[in-house]
Amino acid sequence: MALAPTSPHPPDTTPTPTTRPRGEARRPKASSEPPEGNRERAKGRDRLWVAAFLVPFLVLYMGFTLWPLVATVYYSFFDWSGSGPLDNFVGGDNYSRILGDPLFWQAVVNTLLFSVGTTLIKLPLSLLAALVMTRKWLRAKRALRTVFFAPLIIPVAMAGLVFTYLLNPSNGALNSALHGLGLTDGTTDVFANRWSALLALVLISVWQVFGQYMIYWMAALQNVPDELYEAAELDGASEWQKLTRITLPLIRPVAVVIVMLALVNAMHVFGLVVTLTGGGPGTSTYVVSYFIYKQAFGSMPFAYGYASAAALLFSVMAFLLVTSQGLFVRRAQKMRKEYGV
């Protein structure tokens, strides 16, 4: 029987690609990016949400910040008692009277003394507490933070009333303790002298806001790289050298801001003066905020325009103090860059 001839080459078993019919269109590749129209609509919705969340803030800001500021400037040019029409325009007479008022300048001096005094006491002490609170060997850190921060949640008026009873010259706890120790006769009146009254205001204010500035310092200390301390320990640096050559230079930009915050916040002291001294003895513990309050609401007829002029002058002083921090911050940032951080 004859066999069929075989081909010397085996048949090609590789599957041939199927050819697409000429009339069939190529399908577009699926794209993960949304169409341009959808992106624009999404951006538009985002803008609407941003505006919706900003509108309440802008309304409150304009109602409680911008409008009072504009109104204060406007009222300062009138001799106005706070009620009735604004018909007695005096121009700059209120400002000239303020600049020649010795009580106003006494209040300015007392405000500066209080601000500088509280800043010089609370910032070094709170920095020392923050350094201790950031040590790894310290135990019960949360409890200590609570103890230091708790006075801050007490209202200023309530704190003033509490210390009014504690420092009462007849039956206060302080006089009773000093009399029991034989140090006084039990009739010491802290608020009978200008300097002792100012010192009491300063110390009570430091006690109340101490925890707030300790938290500020702790936040600043956490930005110092640990590698610098480790390198300093390898070089045999002492704790004092690490503090003065690493910690303080690196936290200086934040320290400038903290100092300015401390000064500006202290310049607005009011509640403690009202509840503790009432500006006394006499007018020796008047501060600017209390001076403005007494001029506007202390006696009839109210001198609302005069008080507005005093408030505006005081605001200009505080503004000049705040704007001066920019120069110090830039110099501190330059020094920080020299450390490579």
Side-chain angles (χ1 to χ4, degrees):
M1 182 175 63
L3 298 175
T6 58
S7 174
H9 302 285
D12 188 4
T13 59
T14 305
T16 59
T18 59
T19 59
R20 181 182 298 108
R22 293 183 179 180
E24 184 180 349
R26 184 184 297 270
R27 295 182 180 178
K29 295 182 179 180
S31 176
S32 59
E33 298 182 358
E36 188 67 26
N38 292 343
R39 285 203 300 267
E40 291 298 329
R41 285 194 293 270
K43 290 181 180 178
R45 286 194 298 268
D46 291 342
R47 294 191 187 99
L48 288 176
W49 280 112
V50 171
F53 282 108
L54 284 179
V55 164
F57 166 76
L58 292 176
V59 171
L60 294 174
Y61 181 75
M62 289 179 5
F64 293 96
T65 302
L66 290 182
W67 165 244
L69 179 61
V70 173
T72 299
V73 176
Y74 182 66
Y75 297 152
S76 66
F77 295 105
F78 290 86
D79 184 9
W80 186 46
S81 63
S83 62
L86 287 165
D87 53 4
N88 191 6
F89 180 79
V90 296
D93 183 60
N94 284 331
Y95 293 97
S96 61
R97 289 171 55 201
I98 282 289
L99 294 176
D101 192 340
L103 183 57
F104 172 76
W105 290 111
Q106 183 183 10
V108 170
V109 172
N110 288 338
T111 303
L112 293 178
L113 288 174
F114 177 85
S115 303
V116 174
T118 54
T119 302
L120 290 178
I121 295 175
K122 68 188 175 188
L123 291 191
L125 290 179
S126 58
L127 175 59
L128 178 61
L131 288 170
V132 175
M133 293 291 292
T134 53
R135 300 299 95 180
K136 296 180 180 179
W137 47 262
L138 184 66
R139 303 295 181 184
K141 292 182 181 180
R142 293 183 179 179
L144 291 174
R145 290 177 187 176
T146 303
V147 169
F148 287 129
F149 198 79
L152 188 63
I153 66 177
I154 301 175
V156 176
M158 184 178 295
L161 290 174
V162 169
F163 277 95
T164 299
Y165 291 112
L166 290 176
L167 301 176
N168 191 288
S170 58
N171 56 2
L174 177 64
N175 274 312
S176 299
L178 294 177
H179 182 67
L181 295 174
L183 299 178
T184 63
D185 57 358
T187 59
T188 302
D189 189 357
V190 176
F191 304 114
N193 179 270
R194 175 192 181 187
W195 300 110
S196 61
L198 278 175
L199 181 61
L201 290 173
V202 168
L203 294 179
I204 295 171
S205 176
V206 169
W207 167 80
Q208 187 171 30
V209 301
F210 181 86
Q212 176 182 354
Y213 291 93
M214 183 190 72
I215 298 298
Y216 291 163
W217 286 123
M218 290 176 65
L221 292 172
Q222 290 176 358
N223 292 325
V224 181
D226 293 333
E227 294 80 4
L228 296 178
Y229 292 125
E230 295 172 358
E233 289 179 0
L234 293 176
D235 292 337
S238 63
E239 292 295 328
W240 176 255
Q241 290 174 328
K242 287 189 287 186
L243 174 65
T244 56
R245 300 185 183 183
I246 297 177
T247 305
L248 295 181
L250 290 183
I251 67 172
R252 186 172 296 181
V254 182
V256 173
V257 177
I258 294 175
V259 170
M260 291 300 170
L261 281 175
L263 286 172
V264 173
N265 290 338
M267 289 175 69
H268 293 87
V269 58
F270 177 73
L272 285 179
V273 176
V274 173
T275 54
L276 278 173
T277 65
T283 59
S284 58
T285 58
Y286 264 52
V287 292
V288 176
S289 299
Y290 190 73
F291 172 84
I292 295 170
Y293 164 75
K294 293 294 289 185
Q295 295 299 322
F297 309 108
S299 59
M300 297 293 291
F302 298 151
Y304 206 85
Y306 188 71
S308 298
L312 192 60
L313 284 176
F314 181 62
S315 299
V316 171
M317 296 177 189
F319 176 76
L320 294 176
L321 179 64
V322 171
T323 53
S324 66
Q325 79 175 14
L327 175 62
F328 298 102
V329 170
R330 286 194 295 270
R331 293 179 60 183
Q333 289 284 12
K334 183 179 179 181
M335 179 175 292
R336 183 182 175 92
K337 289 180 181 179
E338 294 177 358
Y339 283 75
V341 293

